[in-house]
Amino acid sequence: MSAEYEVHGDVAVITMNNPPVNGLGYATRAAITRGLDQASADASVKAIVVTGAGKAFSGGADITEFGTPKATAEPNLHSVIRAVENCDKPVVAAIHSVAMGGGLELALGCHYRIAAPGAKIALPEVKLGILPGAGGTQRLPRVLGVETALNMIVSGEAVNSELLAQQPGQKLFDRMAGSAESLLEDAIAFARSVAAARPLPLVRNLPCKHPLGDAYFQFARNMVKGMAKNLPAPAKCVDAVQAATQGRFEEGLAKERELFVQLMLSPESRALRHIFFAERATSKIPDVPPDTPQRDIRSVAVIGAGTMGGGIAMNFLNAGIPVTILEMKQEALDRGVATIRKNYEGQVKKGKLKSDKYEQRMGLLKTTLDYQDLKDADLVIEAVFEEMGVKRQVFEKLDQVMKPGAILASNTSTLDVNEIAGFTRRAQDVVGLHFFSPANVMKLLEVVRGAKTGKDVMATVMSMAKKIKKTAVVSGVCDGFIGNRMVEQYGRQAGFLLDEGATPQQVDKAIERFGFAMGPFRMGDLAGNDIGWAIRKRRALERPGMLYSRTADKLCEMGRFGQKTGAGWYDYQAGKRDAIPSAQVEKMIEDHRKELGITPRKISDEEIVQRLVFALVNEGAHILEDGIAARAGDIDMVYLTGYGFPLHRGGPMLYADEVGLFNVVQAMKRFQRNPRDDAKFWEPAPLLARLAAEGKTFN
Ligand code: 3HC
Ligand code: NAI
């Protein structure tokens, strides 16, 4: 039973009950129609209320059923809505908390709607790469007007019920309930008051026009084109709403259905649906159950006020959590605080932050040169120089001063978190919190779980990540963790491509056409090529004989560190960021090829994309097999939120699934034959080889 049926005097109440959000899965749909039949057959029932149990009216179609026979099994959502419309007794939707997607579409099929204040109303299907497929594109414009409805459908954003109720001429809500608590009582009273009304009003009978007609839709289409380059759904939302203004209601519905089916089958929608679930799965750690006790995080300390320390501190200030930053010298503190101020002032200037909020946030920030001032912090995050000796000093000191139970975190990007934990007598309290630069902007947070990190520490930092609005992904301890370990292979391939005959601009353009915002060489110029140079020098000591292209080192030897030195892989004009192909770099690459005795060959864009992306995939497969990441979806989330992997591809691992793992392996075998490349690396990871042989996928 996924909906309950109760009779209150002469009003029947059907309560959807399918936790967590009353998704309209098969069982719920069937239970609603049974409730309608029962109410129709009962002469003592004069009106019907439909509502939802728990924390939602309904979150919409059950996304877990997509692609399964249950999704379309009768009664499908269309049939349920039709049954509501055709019911001979008035049906009132009593909306609270969340009415989204199919949930809102069901409410729009009801004869009347009453809403509690504070309910989130949305047609968010576009975020899943589809459009509302149960009449939402046809009915919402009829009750809210074309423009408001189209904005909601194209953006997928939720709007507060009170705000919608205040809109002049709106026909979405017939009544507002006094409060969420009184909703059911108010709905029953309202249902009683309309029990005798005939004919019963139907949204489908309302007119739907825009004063500018098709010209408005042309304008809307141009707008969404700019917004969603690689995603087909927003433009199709415009087509569907336009259809609502053109023909009969049933024709519009048929058009909506046609577009819905097209989008549902698109790779972009598969990618976005994968992201929906992957994003939610990252917070679940297999051996850390949801009821694991958590520690309180009421105050935070940050060690180091450099590039990362300042950004990390801002995350907590934004969430209303007091932060104390410690540095070695007052000048460093002053510089760090000035940078934080500058960032906030930028936001105030752009109108993104109110000045009183800015002052409030700065009021939560303290600075110190003395460890004693940190001792009561619940969480301390170290962001000092990337040297084990310095980390050792800091953690030994923290071990002495911090109160028992404080969580000690390191923002290290390459060092061994277990070794760092070993500098303390409380390894269970030590964890890696690897933020990405700029730390106040980037969504990704790799949570590095040490061998001895306590489960309660893991549970605590995962929920803390939610509070500071990060996508937290758990990584085991290894060089580079998930993201940087994979990007090293991507970078190596980019280098080999240059040696073999490609130019930086060709490589960048090819991968940018694939959907990355920036190719590896433009990215290197932005981040500073010297950073990778330093890492390569360290790795060369640790892994002698490692095969990689020397072009990036030669570039750095020329002093071309990137935008900050006015020259990198590209030339830059003073004050501008446009990447101009460089004759000097081209010559360096050619000379290097000659030194190596390589005759350059023409490399296709397809090969460039495959070598860059499959390098990520193969390393990702090793990472999964080594247990560094728990799921392929976690790896995808790392790449989507930390490395600019194109959203519409769903992440490297999903992309590999889409291409087909057999095809990925075949391509890798071809790359093994490239004389300049690393044949050993292209040996498919055992997990990849196994899945490919069995015709399976990562996800
Ligand atoms: N179907 C199935 N499961 C759903 C769901 C849905 N429509 N919406 C949410 N869930 C699940 C989540 O996967 C999650 O499961 P988990 O606990 O196992 O990870 C759980 O509900 C809670 O979700 P959140 O963590 O997101 O909880 P919040 O309280 O933060 O948010 C929400 C609740 C606002 C409903 C948010 O989950 C949301 O935006 N959901 C998506 C709603 C959506 O896209 N609806 C449209 C569906 S498509 C449709 O209706 C097609 C129709 O037009 C034909
Ligand atoms: P940074 O050089 O900008 O800042 C380091 C700060 O730490 C300096 O202000 C320095 O004065 C201070 N410091 C050094 N030793 C200290 C000590 N013993 N006590 C107190 N303060 C001390 O460095 P950045 O870039 O902020 O990096 C910090 C850490 O974050 C490193 O471990 C780095 O690997 C990591 N990281 C850096 C990223 C980046 O993009 N810059 C990204 C992710 C992690």
Side-chain angles (χ1 to χ4, degrees):
M1 188 63 132
S2 298
E4 280 133 26
Y5 181 85
E6 264 181 8
V7 179
H8 296 241
D10 53 357
V11 177
V13 177
I14 300 171
T15 307
M16 295 176 270
N17 192 355
N18 181 21
V21 299
N22 300 323
L24 288 157
Y26 168 73
T28 309
R29 301 193 306 264
I32 296 171
T33 49
R34 272 200 305 276
L36 291 171
D37 289 345
Q38 207 170 335
S40 287
D42 184 344
S44 69
V45 168
K46 303 293 180 214
I48 302 158
V49 168
V50 176
T51 192
K55 65 172 197 176
F57 172 78
S58 168
D62 187 338
I63 309 170
T64 58
E65 282 187 355
F66 282 9
T68 73
K70 275 189 177 172
T72 47
E74 290 287 4
N76 63 31
L77 196 47
H78 277 280
S79 308
V80 176
I81 293 171
R82 183 57 69 87
V84 171
E85 280 188 324
N86 290 345
C87 185
D88 54 1
K89 295 174 185 176
V91 184
V92 177
I95 294 167
H96 65 91
S97 314
V98 164
M100 290 190 174
L104 179 57
E105 292 174 301
L106 171 66
L108 287 166
C110 292
H111 305 116
Y112 302 96
R113 285 156 299 279
I114 174 168
K120 291 201 268 178
I121 310 297
L123 289 176
E125 285 86 345
V126 73
K127 295 187 178 178
L128 300 172
I130 53 176
L131 51 69
T137 64
Q138 306 303 298
R139 290 189 179 91
L140 198 65
R142 288 179 153 81
V143 295
L144 287 180
V146 167
E147 286 189 33
T148 305
L150 186 60
N151 281 339
M152 285 178 68
I153 293 168
V154 164
S155 71
E157 291 301 321
V159 186
N160 213 291
S161 51
E162 294 107 296
L163 209 65
L164 290 169
Q166 283 158 16
Q167 191 173 296
Q170 69 84 19
K171 296 189 173 64
L172 176 56
F173 302 130
D174 301 278
R175 287 275 191 289
M176 286 302 285
S179 66
E181 291 70 36
S182 71
L183 172 70
L184 185 60
E185 201 183 315
D186 294 353
I188 291 172
F190 177 52
R192 224 163 252 151
S193 75
V194 294
R198 294 295 181 281
L200 290 167
L202 291 178
V203 172
R204 62 162 64 215
N205 294 335
L206 297 170
C208 187
K209 280 274 167 281
H210 190 280
L212 298 181
D214 291 348
Y216 167 74
F217 289 98
Q218 199 44 49
F219 160 78
R221 210 165 273 119
N222 290 340
M223 288 285 288
V224 304
K225 233 187 238 160
M227 275 161 38
K229 214 168 63 193
N230 294 309
L231 296 167
K236 296 216 190 281
C237 289
V238 179
D239 295 347
V241 173
Q242 185 173 21
T245 66
Q246 286 173 331
R248 289 185 306 112
F249 181 82
E250 288 298 336
E251 286 165 1
L253 215 53
K255 179 75 184 172
E256 178 194 84
R257 189 82 213 144
E258 177 196 323
L259 297 171
F260 177 83
V261 171
Q262 278 173 21
L263 287 172
M264 187 59 103
L265 298 174
S266 68
E268 291 85 356
S269 171
R270 281 198 294 277
L272 294 181
R273 282 182 271 144
H274 165 69
I275 294 170
F276 179 86
F277 288 114
E279 195 174 12
R280 283 159 180 81
T282 54
S283 60
K284 300 182 176 81
I285 311 173
D287 64 336
V288 180
D291 59 355
T292 304
Q294 295 189 14
R295 304 184 189 179
D296 264 349
I297 305 286
R298 289 169 201 245
S299 63
V300 171
V302 174
I303 319 277
T307 310
M308 294 307 287
I312 292 170
M314 285 177 76
N315 287 298
F316 294 96
L317 300 175
N318 296 349
I321 300 172
V323 178
T324 307
I325 306 190
L326 178 140
E327 261 286 351
M328 293 184 296
K329 294 207 175 110
Q330 188 60 41
E331 301 86 88
L333 276 179
D334 294 344
R335 233 186 354 259
V337 172
T339 308
I340 295 178
R341 277 204 177 277
K342 207 175 101 210
N343 275 330
Y344 278 137
E345 278 161 11
Q347 291 177 19
V348 172
K349 256 192 216 140
K350 284 187 197 145
K352 287 185 180 163
L353 181 70
K354 297 226 168 82
S355 7
D356 58 331
K357 274 256 162 87
Y358 161 43
E359 290 309 333
Q360 249 175 35
R361 289 178 190 181
M362 289 309 292
L364 293 170
L365 179 64
K366 286 200 193 113
T367 60
T368 186
L369 300 170
D370 184 355
Y371 273 89
Q372 284 304 321
D373 294 334
L374 310 183
K375 65 181 189 343
D376 293 324
D378 300 308
L379 164 68
V380 49
I381 304 173
E382 162 281 307
V384 302
F385 300 140
E386 186 73 341
E387 284 167 35
M388 203 47 117
V390 187
K391 307 278 187 200
R392 172 180 211 127
Q393 271 173 18
V394 170
F395 275 83
E396 283 177 353
K397 188 76 192 167
L398 290 174
D399 192 28
Q400 285 166 22
V401 302
M402 298 307 293
K403 69 176 180 187
I407 296 176
L408 316 184
S410 172
N411 182 49
T412 179
S413 36
T414 52
L415 301 175
D416 183 340
V417 173
N418 290 329
E419 194 176 338
I420 293 176
F423 301 145
T424 72
R425 289 157 297 171
R426 34 172 131 179
Q428 75 282 358
D429 296 338
V430 178
V431 67
L433 290 181
H434 185 214
F435 289 83
F436 285 69
S437 181
N440 55 316
V441 177
M442 295 296 287
K443 288 281 286 175
L444 178 60
L445 174 64
E446 280 182 328
V447 174
V448 186
R449 183 179 187 172
K452 294 189 180 152
T453 307
K455 290 186 181 179
D456 60 335
V457 169
M458 291 305 292
T460 306
V461 296
M462 294 308 278
S463 51
M464 172 219 75
K466 256 195 200 145
K467 280 196 199 112
I468 60 169
K469 302 200 170 85
K470 296 290 175 196
T471 302
V473 179
V474 178
S475 169
V477 176
C478 68
D479 192 358
F481 313 128
I482 298 174
N484 285 341
R485 176 167 156 183
M486 286 166 68
V487 88
E488 183 189 346
Q489 299 304 335
Y490 173 89
R492 281 176 81 221
Q493 284 304 316
F496 291 140
L497 285 162
L498 297 188
D499 291 350
E500 291 170 33
T503 61
Q505 49 275 23
Q506 191 200 351
V507 174
D508 282 348
K509 286 233 170 72
I511 199 77
E512 285 162 15
R513 261 195 296 270
F514 175 78
F516 273 89
M518 228 181 250
F521 298 111
R522 284 215 293 145
M523 193 52 159
D525 279 0
L526 180 71
N529 296 308
D530 49 323
I531 296 178
W533 195 25
I535 295 175
R536 281 193 302 280
K537 283 181 194 162
R538 178 173 66 77
R539 289 214 170 112
L541 292 177
E542 287 167 7
R543 303 186 222 153
M546 184 181 67
L547 196 56
Y548 73 96
S549 161
R550 286 262 301 125
T551 47
D553 295 348
K554 287 179 174 286
L555 187 83
C556 291
E557 285 156 16
M558 292 159 79
R560 299 183 68 111
F561 292 169
Q563 289 189 20
K564 62 185 173 188
T565 56
W569 292 106
Y570 297 90
D571 292 334
Y572 296 90
Q573 286 170 347
K576 291 197 179 158
R577 287 174 177 270
D578 307 293
I580 305 162
S582 160
Q584 211 187 345
V585 170
E586 233 156 84
K587 178 159 185 328
M588 177 271 284
I589 295 172
E590 276 165 20
D591 289 348
H592 183 49
R593 281 186 202 129
K594 279 184 200 144
E595 275 170 41
L596 296 169
I598 293 175
T599 311
R601 68 181 170 93
K602 194 169 160 26
I603 300 177
S604 70
D605 286 2
E606 189 193 5
E607 179 178 339
I608 291 172
V609 168
Q610 288 190 343
R611 281 174 63 183
L612 293 180
V613 178
F614 295 169
L616 295 176
V617 171
N618 200 36
E619 194 60 27
H622 283 297
I623 282 173
L624 271 179
E625 202 145 41
D626 296 351
I628 297 297
R631 327 167 178 86
D634 285 8
I635 295 177
D636 286 335
M637 288 317 298
V638 164
Y639 262 77
L640 292 161
T641 56
Y643 294 82
F645 200 92
L647 216 62
H648 70 287
R649 308 275 189 191
M653 308 311 272
L654 185 81
Y655 179 70
D657 285 347
E658 287 279 323
V659 170
L661 299 189
F662 174 81
N663 296 322
V664 173
V665 167
Q666 291 303 107
M668 285 170 56
K669 285 185 180 155
R670 281 198 305 279
F671 305 150
Q672 271 190 310
R673 297 196 287 268
N674 284 339
R676 263 305 289 162
D677 204 339
D678 183 353
K680 193 157 159 269
F681 171 75
W682 283 124
E683 191 59 49
L687 173 69
L688 171 57
R690 196 170 65 242
L691 292 174
E694 292 169 359
K696 291 188 177 154
T697 59
F698 285 121
N699 285 288

